Amino acid sequence: MAAPALRVPPLALAVLLGSVAVTGSPSWARDAAEAPKPADTPSAADGPQALIASLRSRILAAHSATFALESWCADYKLAGDPHLVAERVPVADKPLTAAQRARLAIGPDEPVRYRRVRLACGDRVLSEADNWYVPARLTPEMNATLDTTRTPFGRVVRPLAPVRSTVEVRAPVRSAAPGPDDPLFEIDAVLSTGAGQPFCEVVETYLGGALPQASR
């Protein structure tokens, strides 16, 4: 007598198949999968304003701008490898304001490190960012990686299970299609650990280089 066929509930089957797909995918795809995506993803044919609105929504919904941008880069095939690279920009130190120190829950004498970076996907610069972080709230390994490599901040602090809180969103008034170096919008945000301790504030400027060309 033949053995009865094994019946797998649809939900369990979906979870199983999803696990296999993730296991077999490259690391950037697994990371990008953590970044929320809007229900509809506009194409280049929808115009720059639809793309800008979609990118802004994706960043605001994410706990990591790094992984949200890598997901965006992968979706629109902006580069063969959608991993971001953080290029340090040599600028003078920019002190925190009293309001920023209050958001980070630190006193006036707590050491803070500042860096300015340009986040690139392939040969496209997608954003520029001012980043203030409290080194005492990161591990020594994280601080060393930030000092010596081009790894994006979001990837370095991933073990902290960061949660992102938006402080302010600003958008320039424009009448023409943006060029690759034109600002699309700015976001100020505070990153906290999964336990709720703030450790970083960022001011991010997203650039026209993040928009796919109409010919793609």
Side-chain angles (χ1 to χ4, degrees), residues 103-156:
R103 286 194 287 269
L104 291 175
I106 56 175
D109 299 322
E110 176 74 33
V112 174
R113 291 183 184 172
Y114 166 75
R115 55 188 239 152
R116 182 170 179 82
V117 299
R118 307 179 85 200
L119 290 176
C121 172
D123 60 358
R124 293 170 177 259
V125 177
L126 308 188
S127 70
E128 297 179 340
D130 290 316
N131 181 322
W132 297 265
Y133 61 98
V134 184
R137 296 179 181 175
L138 275 57
T139 67
E141 293 77 15
M142 291 176 185
N143 283 307
T145 300
L146 290 170
D147 287 341
T148 60
T149 75
R150 300 189 300 167
T151 308
F153 190 84
R155 188 171 294 281
V156 174

Side-chain angles (χ1 to χ4, degrees), residues 28 66 69-74 76-87 118-127 150 152 180-181 209-210 216:
W28 64 261
T66 296
L69 277 178
E70 288 184 349
S71 171
W72 177 270
C73 188
Y76 287 99
K77 299 178 174 58
L78 302 185
D81 180 357
H83 273 118
L84 297 182
V85 172
E87 298 285 358
R118 307 179 85 200
L119 290 176
C121 172
D123 60 358
R124 293 170 177 259
V125 177
L126 308 188
S127 70
R150 300 189 300 167
D181 297 324
R216 286 182 178 268

Side-chain angles (χ1 to χ4, degrees), residues 11 31 47 53 76 103 138 162 167 175 191 195 207:
L11 179 58
D31 295 334
Y76 287 99
R103 286 194 287 269
L138 275 57
V167 176
S175 56
L191 274 63
L207 303 174

Side-chain angles (χ1 to χ4, degrees), residues 151-173:
T151 308
F153 190 84
R155 188 171 294 281
V156 174
V157 302
R158 185 181 185 185
L160 300 178
V163 176
R164 185 179 163 98
S165 302
T166 301
V167 176
E168 186 177 359
V169 181
R170 295 177 297 276
V173 177

